Amino acid sequence: MTALTPNNPDTLALAGLLDDPTALTQALCDIPSVSGDEGRITDAVAGLLELISAQGTPLEIRRDGDTLVAATRTGAAERIIVAGHLDTVPIEDNVPAEMRELDGQRVVWGRGACDMKSGVAMQLSAAAALRDPVRDVTWVFYDHEEVAASLNGLGRVARNHPDWLAGDFAILGEPSNAGIEGGCNGTIRVEVTTRGVRAHSARAFKGVNAIHLAAPILDRLAGHTAQTVRVDGLDYRESLSAVGISGGVAGNVVPDLCTVTVNYRFAPDKSPEEAEAWLREFFAGYELRVTDVSAGARPGLDQPAAQAFIAALDGLPGIGSTPAAKLGWTDVARFSELGIPAVNFGPGDALFAHKADEHAPAGQITAAASALLSFLEPAAVAPWA
């Protein structure tokens, strides 16, 4: 075993916690990494990967900006990608992180605890414990997940270095209560616009009020019943919501323009083009402009590697192995675009993501890390067990 002493003080502090994914989660939360400021945590994780490579299964480590890709090269028949983002939404008086008791269980409480530094800790602890994996693995730690899609580090690597992401199956460590969530909904945002005629509000009869013209748009939305669509055995609930409205010139002017911003979360049986066509039909007669769209991802649970992952998790303590649909959009869609089936699997409840009381249960963190290790190396014994 090669000895290696990290020069980075963050790496040095984290290295002693690799055998305890819960403590590692807390320490990762204490390194601020709001989107756009991931350099420090990326440097720390880069040092950890070098240490892991020297002391365990060797890794080929590559870096693109603040995204790291580390791959084993054992010659195994299958390659699994395990990915997680390093950034968080802005801190809300919840760093440094704390260990707390909540509803009778220990939790890591702090920004990023569930979204998704507990997932990153799951990756790092499993990577450190690997000695003789039955599957090759590519570990991905990426930047800018919480902001505009154009900045996303995983998307950047997919564009610039698609060969770095070659694999048979991908696991994204997004919070899923340590259960399997397959695929994800797609999302599209559009602006629906009404146009009127501007006039002085004292002589409103001389104008046409664009805000008033928007009332039928809101009525259509309020009267819509969202569908639940079954895709490859999983139920995806759609949603259609007004998420913004703008209009008005001054307090004494009848407005000539009003825009309603609408977000449609569509099941992964539809392409972005089909989702747009559905919206244009729904809002027939109105001016509509697409401002943002991301494809969904089918679950792909019929693929052999996905079936093997489900089987590996079956019966493990603290793990939910019955797959469910992911109702939000996640980066599994990026893997789907590359032709790689992917699931969400990580500790923590997504309902607490981005909240001031964000937290992740310690039991889920250790159970998820153990499950991932067991899938990659069934004979391995987790040092935190």
Side-chain angles (χ1 to χ4, degrees):
M1 183 177 293
T2 304
L4 180 66
T5 302
N7 294 321
N8 185 301
D10 289 323
T11 296
L12 191 60
L14 297 174
L17 304 175
L18 287 169
D19 287 353
D20 184 348
T22 298
L24 181 58
T25 297
Q26 183 177 355
L28 287 167
C29 289
D30 288 346
I31 301 177
S33 55
V34 175
S35 303
D37 190 26
E38 299 97 329
R40 178 181 166 189
I41 196 169
T42 305
D43 290 343
V45 172
L48 279 181
L49 293 173
E50 291 175 0
L51 182 67
I52 289 168
S53 181
Q55 297 185 348
T57 304
L59 296 168
E60 178 185 75
I61 303 168
R62 296 164 167 170
R63 182 166 180 167
D64 181 303
D66 285 330
T67 289
L68 299 164
V69 179
T72 65
R73 300 291 181 190
T74 69
E78 255 182 356
R79 176 166 295 278
I80 309 301
I81 304 168
V82 188
H85 64 84
L86 296 170
D87 61 321
T88 72
V89 297
I91 293 168
E92 195 175 356
D93 295 325
N94 49 7
V95 169
E98 303 174 7
M99 291 300 304
R100 294 190 182 184
E101 289 285 331
L102 184 65
D103 298 329
Q105 62 181 345
R106 291 173 65 245
V107 302
V108 180
W109 183 288
R111 173 60 73 231
C114 74
D115 190 19
M116 57 164 290
K117 290 187 175 177
S118 57
V120 171
M122 171 189 75
Q123 292 177 267
L124 290 168
S125 290
L130 279 180
R131 291 296 179 271
D132 190 19
V134 298
R135 297 172 169 89
D136 265 317
V137 58
T138 299
W139 305 102
V140 183
F141 304 88
Y142 61 101
D143 60 292
H144 284 90
E145 191 273 347
E146 299 288 6
V147 289
S150 60
L151 300 174
N152 186 291
L154 185 62
R156 186 179 65 250
V157 169
R159 292 190 300 272
N160 297 341
H161 310 285
D163 54 306
W164 293 9
L165 299 178
D168 301 291
F169 177 60
I171 299 167
L172 186 68
E174 288 282 356
S176 64
N177 281 316
I180 297 171
E181 293 183 337
C184 69
N185 280 339
T187 179
I188 181 171
R189 274 186 291 276
V190 299
E191 292 179 347
V192 187
T193 298
T194 57
R195 298 182 185 275
V197 178
R198 192 179 298 192
H200 196 296
S201 61
R203 294 173 291 279
F205 58 87
K206 298 294 289 182
V208 178
N209 194 310
I211 293 178
H212 294 179
L213 293 177
I217 295 172
L218 300 179
D219 287 341
R220 289 188 193 185
L221 290 167
H224 176 69
T225 300
Q227 286 188 305
T228 296
V229 182
R230 194 163 184 83
V231 181
D232 297 344
L234 300 183
D235 291 330
Y236 293 86
R237 184 171 181 174
E238 297 190 331
S239 64
L240 183 68
S241 308
V243 295
I245 186 166
S246 61
V249 180
N252 60 352
V253 177
V254 171
D256 60 343
L257 184 70
C258 181
T259 299
V260 180
T261 302
V262 176
N263 184 208
Y264 177 32
R265 300 294 179 126
F266 55 94
D269 65 325
K270 299 181 184 69
S271 68
E273 294 76 17
E274 289 169 332
E276 179 183 344
W278 186 90
L279 285 171
R280 291 192 180 279
E281 182 178 352
F282 185 84
F283 291 114
Y286 289 96
E287 181 180 332
L288 183 147
R289 183 174 75 91
V290 177
T291 60
D292 184 50
V293 61
S294 295
R298 301 182 75 97
L301 297 179
D302 56 341
Q303 299 299 312
Q307 288 290 310
F309 185 55
I310 295 169
L313 269 56
D314 188 37
L316 293 181
I319 297 296
S321 59
T322 302
K326 185 70 172 180
L327 299 186
W329 187 91
T330 73
D331 279 315
V332 295
R334 298 188 188 280
F335 289 111
S336 181
E337 289 178 355
L338 293 171
I340 303 169
V343 298
N344 304 276
F345 174 77
D349 185 339
L351 293 179
F352 291 100
H354 303 184
K355 296 183 65 180
D357 59 349
E358 183 175 356
H359 61 271
Q364 281 190 13
I365 297 171
T366 54
S370 296
L372 180 59
L373 177 62
S374 178
F375 172 59
L376 298 172
E377 186 177 345
V381 177
W384 53 85

